[in-house]
Amino acid sequence: MSTRYPFTAVVGMDDLRLALLLNAVSPAVGGVLVRGEKGTAKSTAVRALADLLPVVPVVAGCRFSCDPVSPDPGCPDGPHADASGAERAARMVELPVGASEDRLVGSLDIEKALSEGVKAFEPGLLAAAHRGILYVDEVNLLSDHLIDHLLDAAAMGASHVEREGVSVRHAARFLLVGTMNPEEGELRPQLLDRFGLTVEVAASRVPEQRVEVVRRRLAFEDDPAVFAARWADEETALRDRIVAARTLLPKVALGDAALLQIAATCAAFEVDGMRADIVMARAATALAAWAGRTEVTSEDVRQAALLALPHRRRRNPFDAPGLDEDKLDETLEQFKGEEPQPDPDEDPEPDGPGDGGPGDGGPDGGGPGGGIPPQGEGPAPETDGVPEETPAEAPAPAPQAQGPGAGERAAVQAAEPFRTKMLSVPGLGQGAAGRRSRARTEHGRTTGATRPRGALTKLHLAATVQAAAPHQRARGRTGPGLVVRRDDLRQATREGREGNLVLFAVDASGSMAARQRMSAVKGAVLSLLLDAYQRRDKVGLITFRGRTAELALPPTSSVDAAAARLEQLPTGGRTPLSAGLLKAHDVLRIERLRDPSRRPLLVVVTDGRATGGGADPVALAARAARLHAAEGTASVVVDCETGPVRLGLAGSLARELGGTAVTLDELRADSIAGLVRDVQAEQTTRRAA
């Protein structure tokens, strides 16, 4: 077994270490979601935590890690009435991004269940993680249906496997830890809420700390065993403190004053539901036990709020998570009751990280020992949407003149986003699971049956019985059972929805530069980005103005990044429409090689004018559009032309693309019910021609 990097050797990141340790003390807190940029030792800290957990007593030979003192009465390997006990180290099970549903929850041998009536169950990763840690790296890239299974098991403490009327249930209680890089895409808000705590991590900007990180990492890679031995005493001290806190946890009192502060804080920050209140109560109790106290204080409530609320108060996918600490302090002060007095016989600070003792994390100081997580680099306090020291009537910025971008105007803010019509790709795809276009998927409504290729995952029972029935007499069937062979099994084919690559080509030329007009255009694109976020699409952003087109954002799962690029987009100059379409063609060609199963949808946002890119820019734009039509790329042109006199150029462009045109008003969900049908009908007509 390879040597893990010691937990106490991690430099800095006090809030991350504290959140992990609180879950080690009280798994009921609900796990940790770690958000941060790449290369910040997120995975290193999580993997190191496993070595600090106490040993686990298990029933010998039980594949589901039942506790010999109170075994699960419904354990598939049970009953365990007279079973002998054993001990093993706590496991840390990693869930790969590409794991299948059967790998996660386990699988049933359907052939044996049908022919012999025996529940032959092969445990999955949820069973292996029971009473340990389940670690999901890049949790934001995990398929939605896997996340649903995962979080349901975490909330219920059990996993249920259902296959055509055959069901198995087993206990699945684990410490859930997920890590993610927000640049690669966000989790849906309802899934964010299922994680108990969240922390933001970033690389230190302090040169001394960065030097210490490099020094320790190089020493570990030179000789892992020697490096781990240097930190053995600190690891032992921290492990003992976890055991002591677990023992003290049932004795911690959560008084009415602390409960009132918790409820008032959740109400003040307008979090949805009651899960935040429960998580805060559990986290505050664990904080008191970690500090060696038997009563929860206001400081515990404050720390619990900083860890449990930032990801729950988000109202928009493009809003950064955070908490207004001034507002938090005001709320806690307003509802502050009588503080519990520490018992003079208690040791308020047991030896361990954060007290300057043997486990304080080394020269970085301030280990994960119950101090307030640093929030100095968090989001600024809310100002009700009004920037500080900004005049009420600020003049509009003057046009800028800079080289090829002469006549360029500064970026304007986007108008309020709205709910858009669903734009979809015609036909039936086989891409990644999502919510946009029709596709053959592992989940959805059953549409037919086929012979399985490889392992059977979704049995079509009626088709299997129909295939086996004619052969029963020849197979010597005598009893009530059905004689089923491998060749009789049929795999169910299902139809659901897939996520697509939505590539935006946005006209930022001078003809779009009117402030009110560009604000409306940005609001429309922002609305489409929000729709792409909800439908689990990848997005890309191309802008064209002046003489060239620019790939402002390569295709990514992070719609936040696309929204940020859009907000900073200036306008001005000529309209190189052909350059924008050719750039889109190149991007889609490369993406087809990278991910051939993900079908693209091209959204061109323009008024249709072409005034740059050659001697005949209109003809060049038409030729570039026909390249997309020839390759069958589904496309929509958002017509931004306004005013009483309209030239209809966007409609002509849509016809060349083989797609459809829609005005900004028609893009709204409450108008033109046949928009999607128009896209599909025009694609069908073009292909037939």
Side-chain angles (χ1 to χ4, degrees):
M1 180 179 177
S2 60
T3 303
R4 290 194 181 102
Y5 193 91
F7 188 87
T8 50
V10 174
V11 178
M13 297 197 299
D14 299 350
D15 46 355
L16 169 58
R17 294 193 289 176
L18 177 61
L20 292 172
L21 290 170
L22 290 181
N23 275 271
V25 172
S26 176
V29 168
V32 185
L33 176 64
V34 187
R35 298 163 46 92
E37 59 196 19
K38 54 187 176 294
T40 50
K42 301 186 298 292
S43 301
T44 298
V46 174
R47 293 188 176 101
L49 179 67
D51 290 336
L52 297 176
L53 299 182
V55 295
V56 179
V58 296
V59 173
C62 177
R63 296 175 298 167
F64 301 88
S65 303
C66 282
D67 189 340
V69 177
S70 56
D72 180 9
C75 176
D77 283 357
H80 299 304
D82 301 320
S84 58
E87 287 188 345
R88 62 162 176 79
R91 291 176 181 157
M92 193 197 74
V93 177
E94 295 194 38
L95 175 61
V97 170
S100 66
E101 180 181 351
D102 285 348
R103 184 73 183 99
L104 176 64
V105 301
S107 59
L108 287 169
D109 189 331
I110 301 298
E111 184 176 2
K112 187 172 291 187
L114 285 175
S115 59
E116 302 177 21
V118 176
K119 295 181 183 179
F121 180 68
E122 184 65 30
L125 296 177
L126 292 179
H130 180 45
R131 304 175 69 197
I133 300 174
L134 182 60
Y135 172 49
V136 188
D137 195 13
E138 307 294 353
V139 65
N140 52 324
L141 303 182
L142 202 63
S143 299
D144 283 355
H145 69 281
L146 292 184
I147 294 178
D148 292 338
H149 282 302
L150 181 65
L151 297 180
D152 283 344
M156 298 171 59
S159 175
H160 295 262
V161 183
E162 300 283 345
R163 291 291 188 276
E164 305 296 340
V166 180
S167 63
V168 172
R169 174 207 167 276
H170 64 83
R173 292 182 293 275
F174 45 80
L175 194 168
L176 176 63
V177 182
T179 59
M180 60 175 284
N181 182 353
E183 294 177 354
E184 297 173 342
E186 286 283 1
L187 278 173
R188 303 198 312 267
Q190 60 266 42
L191 299 182
L192 278 172
D193 183 58
R194 299 295 288 270
F195 283 93
L197 309 179
T198 187
V199 291
E200 298 275 340
V201 297
S204 173
R205 300 296 184 259
V206 180
E208 291 78 10
Q209 283 198 355
R210 297 176 73 96
V211 167
E212 187 61 28
V213 169
V214 175
R215 181 182 291 121
R216 294 187 189 183
R217 189 69 206 184
L218 293 178
F220 174 76
E221 292 176 355
D222 286 343
D223 195 329
V226 171
F227 184 83
R230 286 172 48 194
W231 294 88
D233 292 342
E234 286 83 350
E235 294 281 290
T236 300
L238 193 55
R239 190 179 298 111
D240 292 344
R241 185 173 177 183
I242 292 174
V243 173
R246 282 189 173 188
T247 303
L248 184 62
L249 185 66
K251 303 175 185 177
V252 176
L254 182 64
D256 291 342
L259 274 174
L260 180 60
Q261 285 186 317
I262 290 171
T265 301
C266 292
F269 285 99
E270 300 179 352
V271 297
D272 296 328
M274 295 298 298
R275 184 176 286 117
D277 304 62
I278 296 170
V279 170
M280 274 189 64
R282 290 171 174 166
T285 304
L287 279 162
W290 179 247
R293 289 182 272 101
T294 56
E295 290 191 78
V296 174
T297 67
S298 293
E299 199 58 44
D300 295 328
V301 175
R302 186 181 192 278
Q303 285 184 290
L306 292 173
L307 292 171
L309 295 189
H311 61 302
R312 291 188 164 88
R313 63 171 300 274
R314 298 182 67 188
R315 290 291 180 266
N316 189 296
F318 307 130
D319 293 340
L323 212 62
D324 183 345
E325 292 191 52
D326 291 338
K327 182 177 179 180
L328 173 61
D329 291 336
E330 290 174 6
T331 304
L332 293 176
E333 185 64 30
Q334 180 181 354
F335 291 91
K336 186 175 183 180
E338 184 177 346
E339 282 293 316
Q341 298 299 319
D343 188 335
D345 295 331
E346 289 183 351
D347 180 6
E349 293 290 341
D351 290 339
D355 61 359
D360 68 349
D364 55 295
I372 299 175
Q375 299 287 329
E377 298 180 7
E382 294 178 350
T383 56
D384 295 330
V386 181
E388 294 183 2
E389 301 180 2
T390 300
E393 297 291 333
Q400 303 172 12
Q402 298 176 357
E408 178 181 288
R409 295 174 183 262
V412 298
Q413 285 193 339
E416 189 70 21
F418 52 85
R419 190 166 64 90
T420 67
K421 281 287 186 182
M422 186 180 77
L423 309 176
S424 62
V425 178
L428 194 63
Q430 292 181 313
R435 292 189 176 87
R436 184 171 297 278
S437 306
R438 294 173 54 229
R440 295 185 181 91
T441 60
E442 288 293 319
H443 298 269
R445 62 185 182 90
T446 301
T447 58
T450 60
R451 291 181 181 271
R453 296 179 179 178
L456 179 72
T457 56
K458 299 290 183 181
L459 176 74
H460 194 297
L461 183 58
T464 299
V465 172
Q466 186 177 10
H471 308 291
Q472 296 304 297
R473 182 176 297 177
R475 294 173 183 173
R477 172 187 169 188
T478 57
L482 188 67
V483 181
V484 179
R485 294 180 179 173
R486 174 69 185 175
D487 291 343
D488 300 327
L489 299 179
R490 295 294 183 268
Q491 175 86 19
T493 58
R494 299 174 183 252
E495 183 178 310
R497 293 280 173 177
E498 67 177 359
N500 297 109
L501 166 59
V502 182
L503 182 62
F504 294 92
V506 180
D507 184 350
S509 63
S511 64
M512 305 278 288
R515 293 183 65 84
Q516 186 176 3
R517 183 178 179 187
M518 197 60 198
S519 177
V521 169
K522 284 189 175 183
V525 178
L526 193 65
S527 303
L528 290 167
L529 284 172
L530 180 58
D531 181 69
Y533 167 81
Q534 294 168 340
R535 300 190 187 282
R536 312 301 287 172
D537 294 316
K538 289 179 69 174
V539 296
L541 178 63
I542 291 172
T543 63
F544 53 94
R545 65 187 181 91
R547 298 193 182 99
T548 60
E550 176 190 2
L551 180 60
L553 182 72
T556 175
S557 297
S558 176
V559 294
D560 286 15
R565 300 287 196 282
L566 179 71
E567 195 68 27
Q568 300 164 6
L569 177 65
T571 57
R574 292 181 174 273
T575 310
L577 180 56
S578 60
L581 295 175
L582 290 173
K583 174 66 74 173
H585 183 267
D586 289 341
V587 171
L588 293 180
R589 177 180 57 81
I590 294 171
E591 287 302 310
R592 284 190 181 98
L593 297 174
R594 289 177 176 171
D595 189 357
S597 64
R598 188 179 289 270
R599 298 186 295 163
L601 174 64
L602 176 63
V603 179
V604 184
V605 185
T606 181
D607 57 9
R609 290 182 172 87
T611 59
D616 191 348
V618 176
L620 288 174
R623 289 173 57 187
R626 288 193 288 271
L627 287 176
H628 290 280
E631 294 185 353
T633 302
S635 58
V636 175
V637 178
V638 179
D639 184 358
C640 302
E641 192 174 27
T642 58
V645 179
R646 303 192 180 191
L647 302 178
L649 298 175
S652 299
L653 175 63
R655 287 190 290 274
E656 295 288 358
L657 285 167
T660 189
V662 54
T663 66
L664 291 175
D665 289 337
E666 293 169 345
L667 190 61
R668 294 179 178 271
D670 54 1
S671 63
I672 309 295
L675 174 62
V676 177
R677 290 195 298 273
D678 290 344
V679 176
Q680 295 174 338
E682 292 201 32
Q683 289 283 337
T684 302
T685 302
R686 178 177 54 77
R687 288 175 179 172

